[in-house]
Amino acid sequence: MSQVVDIAGEISVVTAGGIADGRGPAAALAPGAQGVAIGTRLLASVEMGIAEEWKNRIVAAEARDTIKPAHSDRFMPPFSRPDACGFPRSLRTPFLEDVEAQPERVQPAEAGPRIVEAVLTGRGHEILPFTGQSAALVHDILPAAEIVRRIVDDVETILRRTADACTRSAPR
Ligand SMILES: Cc1cc2nc3c(=O)[nH]c(=O)nc-3n(C[C@H](O)[C@H](O)[C@H](O)COP(=O)(O)O)c2cc1C
């Protein structure tokens, strides 16, 4: 993170991944990031228009309940950019376990449209419920404003506590 901030110079750095409570932004702000992007924590918000079952699975999940799906090229287009090698995490589903066990049985021409149809009919989470490891830090479904308020309160507490500790340990 420190090196990214140095390289970015005048450009704002927004950090993402694994941020679900105040500790994440506090750790990002310390070396100079200006902001954070929050994914999984806000999926489990009252306002998020995903299936309640998906939200409940996020609340129940441990980090290891999320996986990097194997053989994702058999059911998804290259992710985000044509040369991207990453693929978002997901909670386990019977579909993903079938792909892992028998990839050759999944035909890309059939699987892609099937996933699109599932997403359009509100059943996407039955196949591919994107969810980060930060699910382990999500324990409830709250209004988005309350999530943000709690995170900001936590960040302020952590930074104040850190400043106090530095003041106490500074040589007099
Ligand atoms: C619903 C959802 C959709 C996502 N879509 C993409 C995507 O299109 N491209 C990508 O690179 N990452 C995608 N991701 C991964 C996010 O970039 C990742 O979750 C982000 O770094 C935030 O991490 P967090 O979920 O721990 O907050 C997605 C994640 C979720 C939860």
Side-chain angles (χ1 to χ4, degrees):
M1 170 60 70
S2 304
Q3 283 175 289
V4 172
V5 168
D6 285 347
I7 292 166
E10 294 299 305
I11 299 170
S12 297
V13 172
V14 174
T15 186
I19 292 171
D21 62 29
R23 291 170 293 181
L29 292 173
Q34 276 80 30
V36 296
I38 300 174
T40 301
R41 170 65 273 202
L42 287 171
L43 284 182
S45 64
V46 172
E47 294 87 347
M48 184 58 74
I50 62 170
E52 286 304 307
E53 188 189 333
W54 186 353
K55 296 182 191 180
N56 290 332
R57 284 198 65 195
I58 290 171
V59 170
E62 298 293 336
R64 278 195 284 188
D65 295 329
T66 69
I67 54 169
K68 284 278 194 184
H71 312 290
S72 59
D73 54 319
R74 297 196 74 84
F75 56 91
M76 290 295 284
F79 228 81
S80 299
R81 307 188 306 276
D83 58 349
C85 57
F87 188 84
R89 282 181 173 270
S90 173
L91 293 167
R92 294 173 199 279
T93 62
F95 170 80
L96 294 177
E97 279 168 9
D98 286 350
V99 179
E100 186 161 9
Q102 295 180 298
E104 67 286 349
R105 290 188 57 187
V106 178
Q107 298 306 322
E110 183 273 329
R114 192 175 138 206
I115 293 174
V116 170
E117 200 218 324
V119 170
L120 291 177
T121 54
R123 296 177 296 103
H125 62 286
E126 294 172 9
I127 296 178
L128 195 53
F130 290 136
T131 299
Q133 286 174 300
S134 51
L137 297 171
V138 179
H139 307 299
D140 41 24
I141 299 164
L142 294 170
E146 180 62 21
I147 292 172
V148 174
R149 195 173 303 117
R150 288 187 187 191
I151 289 175
V152 171
D153 285 351
D154 279 358
V155 172
E156 286 176 352
T157 303
I158 292 166
L159 295 182
R160 208 175 303 118
R161 211 170 49 211
T162 307
D164 289 349
C166 288
T167 308
R168 275 198 308 275
S169 59
R172 290 168 197 273

